[in-house]
Amino acid sequence: MKFDALRPFDPTVLSRVLEAASRHGERGIVVFDLDSTLFDNRPRQARILREFGEARRIPELASSILEHWTSSWRVRDAMIAAGLEPDRAEALLADFEAFWRPRFFSSEYCLEDTPLPGAVDFVREVHETGARIVYCTGRNEGMRAGTVRSLQLWGFPAPPAERIQLWMKAAQEIPDDDYKRDIRAALAAAGTVVALFDNEPTHINGYHEGFPEALAVHVATDHSGRPVEVLPTIPAIPDFLFREAAARIADR
């Protein structure tokens, strides 16, 4: 996955999240987004692009591989990496969008996702502190079964386990920005929010402003591409193994 961060990564923030979660115990809440935060969506995207290539008899796309996706969201780049000329890739975008949407936003296809490095172990560590975990995702309720199954298959703490909740949009048509903004009141009412993780700059900025006492952490993978900068006071990580890599460097 292509990481995109303009600020230095913070090697201490994951340890600080665990410390804060331990202090608050069951009253504490740690919030995780899913797509491009805990999960890499490129396998889902690559499968859909291959199926599109098969359906449209475009051999370059039917042979698309994970490495063609330097971002989870820029399908034009993936098409070009697979061997299409830029003009042809551009001409296919509207057709691909119509093919992609019902598949990407489905329970079946979200089972293709794979965890970010270290994500499973870190979420388990958070759960072991006694804190509650809220997966707060822009996925819609129609994807609940596949999302729970995916969490379970990879070994994440998952519903119906104790102190685990999965919050999803009622309908896909609800804009993610509106949902993530409106959910803050429910999070505040549910307990003490001690940390929040999200890849989307708009969402992590909103979390930081809504919960100034919590640790809002930017997972600097990919995002929607809108020209929004993450607030400079928000720490960033490239994945959930970064603290281990930083520790190894410090010990040298």
Side-chain angles (χ1 to χ4, degrees), residues 53-79:
E54 292 165 0
R56 301 297 186 265
R57 298 183 179 180
I58 304 171
E60 296 92 340
L61 301 186
S63 301
S64 177
I65 58 176
L66 188 66
E67 288 71 22
H68 293 154
W69 291 84
T70 55
S71 161
S72 287
W73 305 106
R74 298 186 182 95
V75 64
R76 180 181 179 275
D77 293 349
M79 288 179 173

mmCIF file with all atom_site columns, all heavy atoms in Angstrom, residues 53-79:
data_model
loop_
_atom_site.group_PDB
_atom_site.id
_atom_site.type_symbol
_atom_site.label_atom_id
_atom_site.label_alt_id
_atom_site.label_comp_id
_atom_site.label_asym_id
_atom_site.label_entity_id
_atom_site.label_seq_id
_atom_site.pdbx_PDB_ins_code
_atom_site.Cartn_x
_atom_site.Cartn_y
_atom_site.Cartn_z
_atom_site.occupancy
_atom_site.B_iso_or_equiv
_atom_site.pdbx_formal_charge
_atom_site.auth_seq_id
_atom_site.auth_comp_id
_atom_site.auth_asym_id
_atom_site.auth_atom_id
_atom_site.pdbx_PDB_model_num
ATOM 1   N N   . GLY A 1 53 ? -12.495 -6.801  -16.335 1.00 0.00 ? 53 GLY A N   1
ATOM 2   C CA  . GLY A 1 53 ? -11.748 -7.141  -17.537 1.00 0.00 ? 53 GLY A CA  1
ATOM 3   C C   . GLY A 1 53 ? -12.279 -8.392  -18.208 1.00 0.00 ? 53 GLY A C   1
ATOM 4   O O   . GLY A 1 53 ? -12.362 -8.461  -19.448 1.00 0.00 ? 53 GLY A O   1
ATOM 5   N N   . GLU A 1 54 ? -12.651 -9.391  -17.412 1.00 0.00 ? 54 GLU A N   1
ATOM 6   C CA  . GLU A 1 54 ? -13.223 -10.616 -17.971 1.00 0.00 ? 54 GLU A CA  1
ATOM 7   C C   . GLU A 1 54 ? -14.568 -10.336 -18.627 1.00 0.00 ? 54 GLU A C   1
ATOM 8   O O   . GLU A 1 54 ? -14.855 -10.823 -19.728 1.00 0.00 ? 54 GLU A O   1
ATOM 9   C CB  . GLU A 1 54 ? -13.371 -11.652 -16.872 1.00 0.00 ? 54 GLU A CB  1
ATOM 10  C CG  . GLU A 1 54 ? -12.046 -12.172 -16.331 1.00 0.00 ? 54 GLU A CG  1
ATOM 11  C CD  . GLU A 1 54 ? -12.200 -12.926 -15.018 1.00 0.00 ? 54 GLU A CD  1
ATOM 12  O OE1 . GLU A 1 54 ? -13.346 -13.040 -14.532 1.00 0.00 ? 54 GLU A OE1 1
ATOM 13  O OE2 . GLU A 1 54 ? -11.176 -13.382 -14.467 1.00 0.00 ? 54 GLU A OE2 1
ATOM 14  N N   . ALA A 1 55 ? -15.406 -9.539  -17.946 1.00 0.00 ? 55 ALA A N   1
ATOM 15  C CA  . ALA A 1 55 ? -16.735 -9.249  -18.472 1.00 0.00 ? 55 ALA A CA  1
ATOM 16  C C   . ALA A 1 55 ? -16.681 -8.418  -19.748 1.00 0.00 ? 55 ALA A C   1
ATOM 17  O O   . ALA A 1 55 ? -17.514 -8.587  -20.653 1.00 0.00 ? 55 ALA A O   1
ATOM 18  C CB  . ALA A 1 55 ? -17.564 -8.522  -17.406 1.00 0.00 ? 55 ALA A CB  1
ATOM 19  N N   . ARG A 1 56 ? -15.687 -7.521  -19.849 1.00 0.00 ? 56 ARG A N   1
ATOM 20  C CA  . ARG A 1 56 ? -15.582 -6.647  -21.026 1.00 0.00 ? 56 ARG A CA  1
ATOM 21  C C   . ARG A 1 56 ? -14.563 -7.161  -22.040 1.00 0.00 ? 56 ARG A C   1
ATOM 22  O O   . ARG A 1 56 ? -14.287 -6.510  -23.028 1.00 0.00 ? 56 ARG A O   1
ATOM 23  C CB  . ARG A 1 56 ? -15.188 -5.226  -20.583 1.00 0.00 ? 56 ARG A CB  1
ATOM 24  C CG  . ARG A 1 56 ? -16.167 -4.566  -19.620 1.00 0.00 ? 56 ARG A CG  1
ATOM 25  C CD  . ARG A 1 56 ? -17.534 -4.358  -20.244 1.00 0.00 ? 56 ARG A CD  1
ATOM 26  N NE  . ARG A 1 56 ? -18.408 -3.596  -19.363 1.00 0.00 ? 56 ARG A NE  1
ATOM 27  C CZ  . ARG A 1 56 ? -19.281 -4.157  -18.505 1.00 0.00 ? 56 ARG A CZ  1
ATOM 28  N NH1 . ARG A 1 56 ? -19.375 -5.477  -18.439 1.00 0.00 ? 56 ARG A NH1 1
ATOM 29  N NH2 . ARG A 1 56 ? -20.039 -3.406  -17.744 1.00 0.00 ? 56 ARG A NH2 1
ATOM 30  N N   . ARG A 1 57 ? -14.009 -8.317  -21.757 1.00 0.00 ? 57 ARG A N   1
ATOM 31  C CA  . ARG A 1 57 ? -13.022 -8.947  -22.647 1.00 0.00 ? 57 ARG A CA  1
ATOM 32  C C   . ARG A 1 57 ? -11.823 -8.030  -22.903 1.00 0.00 ? 57 ARG A C   1
ATOM 33  O O   . ARG A 1 57 ? -11.409 -7.802  -24.032 1.00 0.00 ? 57 ARG A O   1
ATOM 34  C CB  . ARG A 1 57 ? -13.684 -9.376  -23.953 1.00 0.00 ? 57 ARG A CB  1
ATOM 35  C CG  . ARG A 1 57 ? -14.786 -10.417 -23.752 1.00 0.00 ? 57 ARG A CG  1
ATOM 36  C CD  . ARG A 1 57 ? -15.382 -10.896 -25.046 1.00 0.00 ? 57 ARG A CD  1
ATOM 37  N NE  . ARG A 1 57 ? -16.413 -11.894 -24.805 1.00 0.00 ? 57 ARG A NE  1
ATOM 38  C CZ  . ARG A 1 57 ? -17.115 -12.503 -25.776 1.00 0.00 ? 57 ARG A CZ  1
ATOM 39  N NH1 . ARG A 1 57 ? -16.868 -12.198 -27.041 1.00 0.00 ? 57 ARG A NH1 1
ATOM 40  N NH2 . ARG A 1 57 ? -18.038 -13.398 -25.463 1.00 0.00 ? 57 ARG A NH2 1
ATOM 41  N N   . ILE A 1 58 ? -11.278 -7.534  -21.813 1.00 0.00 ? 58 ILE A N   1
ATOM 42  C CA  . ILE A 1 58 ? -10.071 -6.697  -21.861 1.00 0.00 ? 58 ILE A CA  1
ATOM 43  C C   . ILE A 1 58 ? -8.980  -7.481  -21.149 1.00 0.00 ? 58 ILE A C   1
ATOM 44  O O   . ILE A 1 58 ? -8.923  -7.500  -19.911 1.00 0.00 ? 58 ILE A O   1
ATOM 45  C CB  . ILE A 1 58 ? -10.304 -5.336  -21.180 1.00 0.00 ? 58 ILE A CB  1
ATOM 46  C CG1 . ILE A 1 58 ? -11.503 -4.626  -21.803 1.00 0.00 ? 58 ILE A CG1 1
ATOM 47  C CG2 . ILE A 1 58 ? -9.052  -4.463  -21.280 1.00 0.00 ? 58 ILE A CG2 1
ATOM 48  C CD1 . ILE A 1 58 ? -11.936 -3.378  -21.052 1.00 0.00 ? 58 ILE A CD1 1
ATOM 49  N N   . PRO A 1 59 ? -8.120  -8.188  -21.876 1.00 0.00 ? 59 PRO A N   1
ATOM 50  C CA  . PRO A 1 59 ? -7.179  -9.116  -21.236 1.00 0.00 ? 59 PRO A CA  1
ATOM 51  C C   . PRO A 1 59 ? -6.218  -8.444  -20.261 1.00 0.00 ? 59 PRO A C   1
ATOM 52  O O   . PRO A 1 59 ? -5.830  -9.053  -19.264 1.00 0.00 ? 59 PRO A O   1
ATOM 53  C CB  . PRO A 1 59 ? -6.438  -9.750  -22.422 1.00 0.00 ? 59 PRO A CB  1
ATOM 54  C CG  . PRO A 1 59 ? -6.703  -8.858  -23.594 1.00 0.00 ? 59 PRO A CG  1
ATOM 55  C CD  . PRO A 1 59 ? -8.026  -8.226  -23.353 1.00 0.00 ? 59 PRO A CD  1
ATOM 56  N N   . GLU A 1 60 ? -5.820  -7.210  -20.531 1.00 0.00 ? 60 GLU A N   1
ATOM 57  C CA  . GLU A 1 60 ? -4.903  -6.528  -19.609 1.00 0.00 ? 60 GLU A CA  1
ATOM 58  C C   . GLU A 1 60 ? -5.536  -6.399  -18.220 1.00 0.00 ? 60 GLU A C   1
ATOM 59  O O   . GLU A 1 60 ? -4.872  -6.619  -17.201 1.00 0.00 ? 60 GLU A O   1
ATOM 60  C CB  . GLU A 1 60 ? -4.538  -5.135  -20.137 1.00 0.00 ? 60 GLU A CB  1
ATOM 61  C CG  . GLU A 1 60 ? -3.776  -5.139  -21.448 1.00 0.00 ? 60 GLU A CG  1
ATOM 62  C CD  . GLU A 1 60 ? -4.697  -5.035  -22.647 1.00 0.00 ? 60 GLU A CD  1
ATOM 63  O OE1 . GLU A 1 60 ? -5.911  -5.346  -22.506 1.00 0.00 ? 60 GLU A OE1 1
ATOM 64  O OE2 . GLU A 1 60 ? -4.219  -4.641  -23.721 1.00 0.00 ? 60 GLU A OE2 1
ATOM 65  N N   . LEU A 1 61 ? -6.814  -6.046  -18.180 1.00 0.00 ? 61 LEU A N   1
ATOM 66  C CA  . LEU A 1 61 ? -7.485  -5.870  -16.897 1.00 0.00 ? 61 LEU A CA  1
ATOM 67  C C   . LEU A 1 61 ? -7.846  -7.210  -16.269 1.00 0.00 ? 61 LEU A C   1
ATOM 68  O O   . LEU A 1 61 ? -7.826  -7.344  -15.037 1.00 0.00 ? 61 LEU A O   1
ATOM 69  C CB  . LEU A 1 61 ? -8.734  -5.009  -17.068 1.00 0.00 ? 61 LEU A CB  1
ATOM 70  C CG  . LEU A 1 61 ? -8.500  -3.604  -17.646 1.00 0.00 ? 61 LEU A CG  1
ATOM 71  C CD1 . LEU A 1 61 ? -9.794  -2.803  -17.621 1.00 0.00 ? 61 LEU A CD1 1
ATOM 72  C CD2 . LEU A 1 61 ? -7.395  -2.872  -16.917 1.00 0.00 ? 61 LEU A CD2 1
ATOM 73  N N   . ALA A 1 62 ? -8.156  -8.188  -17.091 1.00 0.00 ? 62 ALA A N   1
ATOM 74  C CA  . ALA A 1 62 ? -8.462  -9.518  -16.562 1.00 0.00 ? 62 ALA A CA  1
ATOM 75  C C   . ALA A 1 62 ? -7.257  -10.140 -15.876 1.00 0.00 ? 62 ALA A C   1
ATOM 76  O O   . ALA A 1 62 ? -7.416  -11.047 -15.048 1.00 0.00 ? 62 ALA A O   1
ATOM 77  C CB  . ALA A 1 62 ? -8.950  -10.424 -17.689 1.00 0.00 ? 62 ALA A CB  1
ATOM 78  N N   . SER A 1 63 ? -6.060  -9.638  -16.189 1.00 0.00 ? 63 SER A N   1
ATOM 79  C CA  . SER A 1 63 ? -4.826  -10.141 -15.572 1.00 0.00 ? 63 SER A CA  1
ATOM 80  C C   . SER A 1 63 ? -4.293  -9.201  -14.496 1.00 0.00 ? 63 SER A C   1
ATOM 81  O O   . SER A 1 63 ? -3.148  -9.340  -14.058 1.00 0.00 ? 63 SER A O   1
ATOM 82  C CB  . SER A 1 63 ? -3.755  -10.346 -16.657 1.00 0.00 ? 63 SER A CB  1
ATOM 83  O OG  . SER A 1 63 ? -4.195  -11.263 -17.633 1.00 0.00 ? 63 SER A OG  1
ATOM 84  N N   . SER A 1 64 ? -5.106  -8.243  -14.058 1.00 0.00 ? 64 SER A N   1
ATOM 85  C CA  . SER A 1 64 ? -4.656  -7.264  -13.071 1.00 0.00 ? 64 SER A CA  1
ATOM 86  C C   . SER A 1 64 ? -4.216  -7.957  -11.779 1.00 0.00 ? 64 SER A C   1
ATOM 87  O O   . SER A 1 64 ? -4.825  -8.927  -11.333 1.00 0.00 ? 64 SER A O   1
ATOM 88  C CB  . SER A 1 64 ? -5.790  -6.277  -12.757 1.00 0.00 ? 64 SER A CB  1
ATOM 89  O OG  . SER A 1 64 ? -5.401  -5.351  -11.759 1.00 0.00 ? 64 SER A OG  1
ATOM 90  N N   . ILE A 1 65 ? -3.150  -7.443  -11.200 1.00 0.00 ? 65 ILE A N   1
ATOM 91  C CA  . ILE A 1 65 ? -2.625  -8.003  -9.949  1.00 0.00 ? 65 ILE A CA  1
ATOM 92  C C   . ILE A 1 65 ? -2.569  -6.911  -8.887  1.00 0.00 ? 65 ILE A C   1
ATOM 93  O O   . ILE A 1 65 ? -2.689  -5.717  -9.179  1.00 0.00 ? 65 ILE A O   1
ATOM 94  C CB  . ILE A 1 65 ? -1.231  -8.625  -10.157 1.00 0.00 ? 65 ILE A CB  1
ATOM 95  C CG1 . ILE A 1 65 ? -0.242  -7.575  -10.695 1.00 0.00 ? 65 ILE A CG1 1
ATOM 96  C CG2 . ILE A 1 65 ? -1.310  -9.835  -11.080 1.00 0.00 ? 65 ILE A CG2 1
ATOM 97  C CD1 . ILE A 1 65 ? 1.176   -8.081  -10.827 1.00 0.00 ? 65 ILE A CD1 1
ATOM 98  N N   . LEU A 1 66 ? -2.343  -7.334  -7.656  1.00 0.00 ? 66 LEU A N   1
ATOM 99  C CA  . LEU A 1 66 ? -2.342  -6.412  -6.522  1.00 0.00 ? 66 LEU A CA  1
ATOM 100 C C   . LEU A 1 66 ? -1.353  -5.276  -6.706  1.00 0.00 ? 66 LEU A C   1
ATOM 101 O O   . LEU A 1 66 ? -1.634  -4.122  -6.358  1.00 0.00 ? 66 LEU A O   1
ATOM 102 C CB  . LEU A 1 66 ? -2.018  -7.197  -5.254  1.00 0.00 ? 66 LEU A CB  1
ATOM 103 C CG  . LEU A 1 66 ? -2.140  -6.453  -3.923  1.00 0.00 ? 66 LEU A CG  1
ATOM 104 C CD1 . LEU A 1 66 ? -3.583  -6.083  -3.649  1.00 0.00 ? 66 LEU A CD1 1
ATOM 105 C CD2 . LEU A 1 66 ? -1.585  -7.306  -2.786  1.00 0.00 ? 66 LEU A CD2 1
ATOM 106 N N   . GLU A 1 67 ? -0.201  -5.581  -7.274  1.00 0.00 ? 67 GLU A N   1
ATOM 107 C CA  . GLU A 1 67 ? 0.856   -4.574  -7.409  1.00 0.00 ? 67 GLU A CA  1
ATOM 108 C C   . GLU A 1 67 ? 0.482   -3.432  -8.355  1.00 0.00 ? 67 GLU A C   1
ATOM 109 O O   . GLU A 1 67 ? 1.147   -2.393  -8.360  1.00 0.00 ? 67 GLU A O   1
ATOM 110 C CB  . GLU A 1 67 ? 2.146   -5.248  -7.871  1.00 0.00 ? 67 GLU A CB  1
ATOM 111 C CG  . GLU A 1 67 ? 2.829   -6.090  -6.808  1.00 0.00 ? 67 GLU A CG  1
ATOM 112 C CD  . GLU A 1 67 ? 2.090   -7.361  -6.471  1.00 0.00 ? 67 GLU A CD  1
ATOM 113 O OE1 . GLU A 1 67 ? 1.270   -7.836  -7.312  1.00 0.00 ? 67 GLU A OE1 1
ATOM 114 O OE2 . GLU A 1 67 ? 2.310   -7.909  -5.362  1.00 0.00 ? 67 GLU A OE2 1
ATOM 115 N N   . HIS A 1 68 ? -0.545  -3.615  -9.157  1.00 0.00 ? 68 HIS A N   1
ATOM 116 C CA  . HIS A 1 68 ? -0.996  -2.525  -10.025 1.00 0.00 ? 68 HIS A CA  1
ATOM 117 C C   . HIS A 1 68 ? -1.695  -1.420  -9.234  1.00 0.00 ? 68 HIS A C   1
ATOM 118 O O   . HIS A 1 68 ? -1.872  -0.321  -9.738  1.00 0.00 ? 68 HIS A O   1
ATOM 119 C CB  . HIS A 1 68 ? -1.952  -3.052  -11.102 1.00 0.00 ? 68 HIS A CB  1
ATOM 120 C CG  . HIS A 1 68 ? -1.298  -3.957  -12.091 1.00 0.00 ? 68 HIS A CG  1
ATOM 121 N ND1 . HIS A 1 68 ? -1.983  -4.927  -12.801 1.00 0.00 ? 68 HIS A ND1 1
ATOM 122 C CD2 . HIS A 1 68 ? -0.007  -4.055  -12.495 1.00 0.00 ? 68 HIS A CD2 1
ATOM 123 C CE1 . HIS A 1 68 ? -1.154  -5.573  -13.599 1.00 0.00 ? 68 HIS A CE1 1
ATOM 124 N NE2 . HIS A 1 68 ? 0.052   -5.066  -13.434 1.00 0.00 ? 68 HIS A NE2 1
ATOM 125 N N   . TRP A 1 69 ? -2.093  -1.756  -8.005  1.00 0.00 ? 69 TRP A N   1
ATOM 126 C CA  . TRP A 1 69 ? -2.831  -0.802  -7.182  1.00 0.00 ? 69 TRP A CA  1
ATOM 127 C C   . TRP A 1 69 ? -1.854  -0.124  -6.212  1.00 0.00 ? 69 TRP A C   1
ATOM 128 O O   . TRP A 1 69 ? -1.619  -0.613  -5.119  1.00 0.00 ? 69 TRP A O   1
ATOM 129 C CB  . TRP A 1 69 ? -3.948  -1.492  -6.415  1.00 0.00 ? 69 TRP A CB  1
ATOM 130 C CG  . TRP A 1 69 ? -5.039  -1.969  -7.317  1.00 0.00 ? 69 TRP A CG  1
ATOM 131 C CD1 . TRP A 1 69 ? -5.078  -3.134  -8.018  1.00 0.00 ? 69 TRP A CD1 1
ATOM 132 C CD2 . TRP A 1 69 ? -6.242  -1.268  -7.649  1.00 0.00 ? 69 TRP A CD2 1
ATOM 133 N NE1 . TRP A 1 69 ? -6.233  -3.204  -8.759  1.00 0.00 ? 69 TRP A NE1 1
ATOM 134 C CE2 . TRP A 1 69 ? -6.963  -2.079  -8.547  1.00 0.00 ? 69 TRP A CE2 1
ATOM 135 C CE3 . TRP A 1 69 ? -6.772  -0.036  -7.263  1.00 0.00 ? 69 TRP A CE3 1
ATOM 136 C CZ2 . TRP A 1 69 ? -8.199  -1.686  -9.075  1.00 0.00 ? 69 TRP A CZ2 1
ATOM 137 C CZ3 . TRP A 1 69 ? -8.002  0.351   -7.774  1.00 0.00 ? 69 TRP A CZ3 1
ATOM 138 C CH2 . TRP A 1 69 ? -8.695  -0.468  -8.669  1.00 0.00 ? 69 TRP A CH2 1
ATOM 139 N N   . THR A 1 70 ? -1.290  0.996   -6.621  1.00 0.00 ? 70 THR A N   1
ATOM 140 C CA  . THR A 1 70 ? -0.434  1.751   -5.710  1.00 0.00 ? 70 THR A CA  1
ATOM 141 C C   . THR A 1 70 ? -1.276  2.548   -4.726  1.00 0.00 ? 70 THR A C   1
ATOM 142 O O   . THR A 1 70 ? -0.769  3.072   -3.742  1.00 0.00 ? 70 THR A O   1
ATOM 143 C CB  . THR A 1 70 ? 0.479   2.709   -6.486  1.00 0.00 ? 70 THR A CB  1
ATOM 144 O OG1 . THR A 1 70 ? -0.323  3.548   -7.328  1.00 0.00 ? 70 THR A OG1 1
ATOM 145 C CG2 . THR A 1 70 ? 1.447   1.919   -7.367  1.00 0.00 ? 70 THR A CG2 1
ATOM 146 N N   . SER A 1 71 ? -2.567  2.637   -4.976  1.00 0.00 ? 71 SER A N   1
ATOM 147 C CA  . SER A 1 71 ? -3.526  3.265   -4.071  1.00 0.00 ? 71 SER A CA  1
ATOM 148 C C   . SER A 1 71 ? -4.777  2.420   -4.096  1.00 0.00 ? 71 SER A C   1
ATOM 149 O O   . SER A 1 71 ? -5.073  1.745   -5.080  1.00 0.00 ? 71 SER A O   1
ATOM 150 C CB  . SER A 1 71 ? -3.847  4.693   -4.527  1.00 0.00 ? 71 SER A CB  1
ATOM 151 O OG  . SER A 1 71 ? -5.056  5.152   -3.956  1.00 0.00 ? 71 SER A OG  1
ATOM 152 N N   . SER A 1 72 ? -5.549  2.443   -3.027  1.00 0.00 ? 72 SER A N   1
ATOM 153 C CA  . SER A 1 72 ? -6.793  1.676   -3.018  1.00 0.00 ? 72 SER A CA  1
ATOM 154 C C   . SER A 1 72 ? -7.872  2.292   -3.907  1.00 0.00 ? 72 SER A C   1
ATOM 155 O O   . SER A 1 72 ? -8.858  1.637   -4.197  1.00 0.00 ? 72 SER A O   1
ATOM 156 C CB  . SER A 1 72 ? -7.343  1.569   -1.585  1.00 0.00 ? 72 SER A CB  1
ATOM 157 O OG  . SER A 1 72 ? -6.577  0.687   -0.822  1.00 0.00 ? 72 SER A OG  1
ATOM 158 N N   . TRP A 1 73 ? -7.726  3.539   -4.316  1.00 0.00 ? 73 TRP A N   1
ATOM 159 C CA  . TRP A 1 73 ? -8.854  4.231   -4.916  1.00 0.00 ? 73 TRP A CA  1
ATOM 160 C C   . TRP A 1 73 ? -8.620  4.730   -6.338  1.00 0.00 ? 73 TRP A C   1
ATOM 161 O O   . TRP A 1 73 ? -9.582  5.059   -7.021  1.00 0.00 ? 73 TRP A O   1
ATOM 162 C CB  . TRP A 1 73 ? -9.239  5.422   -4.019  1.00 0.00 ? 73 TRP A CB  1
ATOM 163 C CG  . TRP A 1 73 ? -9.501  4.968   -2.622  1.00 0.00 ? 73 TRP A CG  1
ATOM 164 C CD1 . TRP A 1 73 ? -8.704  5.139   -1.527  1.00 0.00 ? 73 TRP A CD1 1
ATOM 165 C CD2 . TRP A 1 73 ? -10.615 4.189   -2.174  1.00 0.00 ? 73 TRP A CD2 1
ATOM 166 N NE1 . TRP A 1 73 ? -9.252  4.535   -0.421  1.00 0.00 ? 73 TRP A NE1 1
ATOM 167 C CE2 . TRP A 1 73 ? -10.430 3.940   -0.789  1.00 0.00 ? 73 TRP A CE2 1
ATOM 168 C CE3 . TRP A 1 73 ? -11.748 3.689   -2.805  1.00 0.00 ? 73 TRP A CE3 1
ATOM 169 C CZ2 . TRP A 1 73 ? -11.345 3.210   -0.036  1.00 0.00 ? 73 TRP A CZ2 1
ATOM 170 C CZ3 . TRP A 1 73 ? -12.651 2.952   -2.050  1.00 0.00 ? 73 TRP A CZ3 1
ATOM 171 C CH2 . TRP A 1 73 ? -12.448 2.732   -0.682  1.00 0.00 ? 73 TRP A CH2 1
ATOM 172 N N   . ARG A 1 74 ? -7.410  4.783   -6.829  1.00 0.00 ? 74 ARG A N   1
ATOM 173 C CA  . ARG A 1 74 ? -7.151  5.379   -8.147  1.00 0.00 ? 74 ARG A CA  1
ATOM 174 C C   . ARG A 1 74 ? -7.159  4.298   -9.221  1.00 0.00 ? 74 ARG A C   1
ATOM 175 O O   . ARG A 1 74 ? -6.134  3.791   -9.647  1.00 0.00 ? 74 ARG A O   1
ATOM 176 C CB  . ARG A 1 74 ? -5.821  6.132   -8.119  1.00 0.00 ? 74 ARG A CB  1
ATOM 177 C CG  . ARG A 1 74 ? -5.821  7.289   -7.126  1.00 0.00 ? 74 ARG A CG  1
ATOM 178 C CD  . ARG A 1 74 ? -4.537  8.102   -7.220  1.00 0.00 ? 74 ARG A CD  1
ATOM 179 N NE  . ARG A 1 74 ? -4.522  9.165   -6.237  1.00 0.00 ? 74 ARG A NE  1
ATOM 180 C CZ  . ARG A 1 74 ? -3.954  9.074   -5.036  1.00 0.00 ? 74 ARG A CZ  1
ATOM 181 N NH1 . ARG A 1 74 ? -3.344  7.949   -4.676  1.00 0.00 ? 74 ARG A NH1 1
ATOM 182 N NH2 . ARG A 1 74 ? -3.976  10.072  -4.188  1.00 0.00 ? 74 ARG A NH2 1
ATOM 183 N N   . VAL A 1 75 ? -8.382  3.978   -9.689  1.00 0.00 ? 75 VAL A N   1
ATOM 184 C CA  . VAL A 1 75 ? -8.520  2.883   -10.646 1.00 0.00 ? 75 VAL A CA  1
ATOM 185 C C   . VAL A 1 75 ? -7.875  3.229   -11.981 1.00 0.00 ? 75 VAL A C   1
ATOM 186 O O   . VAL A 1 75 ? -7.348  2.340   -12.673 1.00 0.00 ? 75 VAL A O   1
ATOM 187 C CB  . VAL A 1 75 ? -10.006 2.510   -10.825 1.00 0.00 ? 75 VAL A CB  1
ATOM 188 C CG1 . VAL A 1 75 ? -10.789 3.651   -11.441 1.00 0.00 ? 75 VAL A CG1 1
ATOM 189 C CG2 . VAL A 1 75 ? -10.133 1.248   -11.673 1.00 0.00 ? 75 VAL A CG2 1
ATOM 190 N N   . ARG A 1 76 ? -7.901  4.484   -12.370 1.00 0.00 ? 76 ARG A N   1
ATOM 191 C CA  . ARG A 1 76 ? -7.252  4.853   -13.633 1.00 0.00 ? 76 ARG A CA  1
ATOM 192 C C   . ARG A 1 76 ? -5.780  4.472   -13.605 1.00 0.00 ? 76 ARG A C   1
ATOM 193 O O   . ARG A 1 76 ? -5.253  3.908   -14.575 1.00 0.00 ? 76 ARG A O   1
ATOM 194 C CB  . ARG A 1 76 ? -7.411  6.363   -13.881 1.00 0.00 ? 76 ARG A CB  1
ATOM 195 C CG  . ARG A 1 76 ? -6.761  6.857   -15.169 1.00 0.00 ? 76 ARG A CG  1
ATOM 196 C CD  . ARG A 1 76 ? -6.943  8.371   -15.312 1.00 0.00 ? 76 ARG A CD  1
ATOM 197 N NE  . ARG A 1 76 ? -6.316  8.871   -16.519 1.00 0.00 ? 76 ARG A NE  1
ATOM 198 C CZ  . ARG A 1 76 ? -5.037  9.197   -16.622 1.00 0.00 ? 76 ARG A CZ  1
ATOM 199 N NH1 . ARG A 1 76 ? -4.244  9.063   -15.555 1.00 0.00 ? 76 ARG A NH1 1
ATOM 200 N NH2 . ARG A 1 76 ? -4.542  9.660   -17.758 1.00 0.00 ? 76 ARG A NH2 1
ATOM 201 N N   . ASP A 1 77 ? -5.109  4.747   -12.498 1.00 0.00 ? 77 ASP A N   1
ATOM 202 C CA  . ASP A 1 77 ? -3.695  4.388   -12.379 1.00 0.00 ? 77 ASP A CA  1
ATOM 203 C C   . ASP A 1 77 ? -3.510  2.879   -12.446 1.00 0.00 ? 77 ASP A C   1
ATOM 204 O O   . ASP A 1 77 ? -2.547  2.384   -13.044 1.00 0.00 ? 77 ASP A O   1
ATOM 205 C CB  . ASP A 1 77 ? -3.119  4.925   -11.065 1.00 0.00 ? 77 ASP A CB  1
ATOM 206 C CG  . ASP A 1 77 ? -3.051  6.440   -11.034 1.00 0.00 ? 77 ASP A CG  1
ATOM 207 O OD1 . ASP A 1 77 ? -3.247  7.063   -12.095 1.00 0.00 ? 77 ASP A OD1 1
ATOM 208 O OD2 . ASP A 1 77 ? -2.821  6.993   -9.942  1.00 0.00 ? 77 ASP A OD2 1
ATOM 209 N N   . ALA A 1 78 ? -4.428  2.136   -11.821 1.00 0.00 ? 78 ALA A N   1
ATOM 210 C CA  . ALA A 1 78 ? -4.331  0.673   -11.842 1.00 0.00 ? 78 ALA A CA  1
ATOM 211 C C   . ALA A 1 78 ? -4.528  0.136   -13.258 1.00 0.00 ? 78 ALA A C   1
ATOM 212 O O   . ALA A 1 78 ? -3.861  -0.826  -13.666 1.00 0.00 ? 78 ALA A O   1
ATOM 213 C CB  . ALA A 1 78 ? -5.353  0.067   -10.894 1.00 0.00 ? 78 ALA A CB  1
ATOM 214 N N   . MET A 1 79 ? -5.440  0.726   -13.998 1.00 0.00 ? 79 MET A N   1
ATOM 215 C CA  . MET A 1 79 ? -5.660  0.300   -15.377 1.00 0.00 ? 79 MET A CA  1
ATOM 216 C C   . MET A 1 79 ? -4.420  0.543   -16.235 1.00 0.00 ? 79 MET A C   1
ATOM 217 O O   . MET A 1 79 ? -4.025  -0.308  -17.042 1.00 0.00 ? 79 MET A O   1
ATOM 218 C CB  . MET A 1 79 ? -6.857  1.044   -15.971 1.00 0.00 ? 79 MET A CB  1
ATOM 219 C CG  . MET A 1 79 ? -8.209  0.625   -15.435 1.00 0.00 ? 79 MET A CG  1
ATOM 220 S SD  . MET A 1 79 ? -9.537  1.593   -16.206 1.00 0.00 ? 79 MET A SD  1
ATOM 221 C CE  . MET A 1 79 ? -10.996 0.773   -15.561 1.00 0.00 ? 79 MET A CE  1
#
